[in-house]
């Protein structure tokens, strides 16, 4: 299969600061890496993704970086706002399956 | 929302009873997935389907079966529910036109007493 590890499990930042969440994967055959945001009681929502042939992708305040050699990818949120508070999941796709990290609970303190 | 609905949204049942959860999609996607979500474990794949009557197991398939007799519906069955199957169940589709992107349904909260 594939083993995806995510750190940290909880993260608190002051409003306006940056937040970084890191994930590692084990199988070099994984080739697609989405990130999801899940608010309490809601479904996971895709916020950004990256494919294995790209090193970095940015969408406004959110960016994802991928290091294929080291098998790790990271989510960067700049200028955090209270509405960024949620649980964030990374995932890796290998073949037909997706493998998820265990989540990071982000709290943005006003 | 990628046209995904799940039913029921909430269910309470007793140990030993059969339970069927339904996932319905309106966009004709080939791939459909069932996950369970538990605190500390993230999302874990139960079963998935890559076409009508084509299904395969995920990492936590024991105690679950699935069926897909038509493109739009993917059913998850707990043959004899146990308390360890208390969880939130999410269905997902894979939108191949977007590459590999997965989109999730609203979830079903299942409590097995």
């Amino acid at each position: 299969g594939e083993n995806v590890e995510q750190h940290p499990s909880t993260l608190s930042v002051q409003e306006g600061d940056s937040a970084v969440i890191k994930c590692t994967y084990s199988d070099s055959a994984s080739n697609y890496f989405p990130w999801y945001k899940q608010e309490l009681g809601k479904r996971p929502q895709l916020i950004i993704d990256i494919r294995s042939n790209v090193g970095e992708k940015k969408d406004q305040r959110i960016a994802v970086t991928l290091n294929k050699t080291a098998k790790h990818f990271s989510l960067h949120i700049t200028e955090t706002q209270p509405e960024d508070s949620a649980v964030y999941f990374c995932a890796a796709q290998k073949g037909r399956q997706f493998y998820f990290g265990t989540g990071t609970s982000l709290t943005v303190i006003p | 929302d990628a046209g995904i609905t799940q039913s029921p949204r909430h269910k309470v049942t007793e140990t030993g009873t059969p339970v069927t959860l339904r996932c319905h999609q309106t966009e004709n996607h080939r791939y459909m997935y069932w996950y369970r979500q538990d605190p500390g474990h993230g999302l874990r794949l139960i079963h998935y389907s890559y076409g009508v009557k084509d299904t395969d197991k995920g990492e936590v398939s024991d105690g679950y079966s699935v069926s897909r007799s038509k493109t739009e519906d993917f059913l998850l069955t707990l043959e004899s529910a146990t308390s360890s199957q208390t969880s939130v169940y999410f269905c997902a589709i894979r939108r191949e036109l977007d590459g590999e992107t997965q989109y999730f349904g609203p979830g079903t909260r299942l409590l097995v007493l």
Side-chain angles (χ1 to χ4, degrees):
Chain A
E2 166 68 285
N3 182 39
V4 177
E5 295 190 357
Q6 183 172 347
H7 299 281
S9 56
T10 60
L11 180 61
S12 291
V13 299
Q14 290 292 137
E15 182 177 357
D17 287 351
S18 295
V20 180
I21 302 170
K22 299 182 179 182
C23 288
T24 62
Y25 61 101
S26 60
D27 197 325
S28 57
S30 293
N31 58 4
Y32 172 66
F33 307 91
W35 284 89
Y36 290 85
K37 175 183 179 182
Q38 187 177 29
E39 296 174 345
L40 192 62
K42 301 289 184 61
R43 74 186 81 187
Q45 300 266 21
L46 179 76
I47 55 172
I48 197 166
D49 56 10
I50 192 166
R51 303 188 189 285
S52 59
N53 59 348
V54 176
E56 184 173 359
K57 183 177 178 180
K58 189 173 181 181
D59 182 4
Q60 299 182 6
R61 296 186 298 107
I62 294 173
V64 58
T65 59
L66 171 65
N67 183 327
K68 284 194 301 183
T69 303
K71 295 195 190 71
H72 66 72
F73 55 113
S74 300
L75 177 71
H76 304 254
I77 306 174
T78 59
E79 301 172 15
T80 53
Q81 301 167 4
E83 51 266 38
D84 294 329
S85 295
V87 178
Y88 292 81
F89 291 97
C90 64
Q93 186 205 0
K94 178 185 153 188
R96 291 169 170 158
Q97 297 192 34
F98 292 76
Y99 301 85
F100 285 80
T102 51
T104 296
S105 178
L106 173 64
T107 302
V108 180
I109 304 164
Chain B
D1 293 346
I4 309 167
T5 57
Q6 292 184 230
S7 59
R9 295 292 315 280
H10 303 270
K11 187 169 181 67
V12 180
T13 191
E14 293 186 351
T15 298
T17 60
V19 176
T20 295
L21 308 182
R22 180 182 182 235
C23 179
H24 179 79
Q25 56 133 336
T26 60
E27 297 183 353
N28 213 36
H29 298 291
R30 187 161 61 114
Y31 286 89
M32 298 183 76
Y33 300 79
W34 276 109
Y35 292 90
R36 60 177 290 173
Q37 184 174 40
D38 305 288
H41 290 279
L43 290 147
R44 293 182 292 173
L45 181 64
I46 305 171
H47 282 279
Y48 66 98
S49 170
Y50 47 95
V52 173
K53 293 187 169 48
D54 291 324
T55 64
D56 206 349
K57 297 179 180 180
E59 62 177 310
V60 291
S61 60
D62 287 349
Y64 301 95
S65 63
V66 290
S67 67
R68 191 157 179 212
S69 59
K70 43 186 179 175
T71 300
E72 58 266 36
D73 288 325
F74 192 29
L75 304 180
L76 177 69
T77 297
L78 292 66
E79 301 290 348
S80 177
T82 67
S83 58
S84 65
Q85 294 176 311
T86 291
S87 187
V88 179
Y89 291 85
F90 285 100
C91 172
I93 59 92
R94 184 166 136 197
R95 186 178 275 170
E96 292 178 275
L97 289 178
D98 283 352
E100 312 295 344
T101 311
Q102 252 189 351
Y103 293 90
F104 287 85
T108 294
R109 289 188 173 274
L110 176 66
L111 174 61
V112 183
L113 298 174

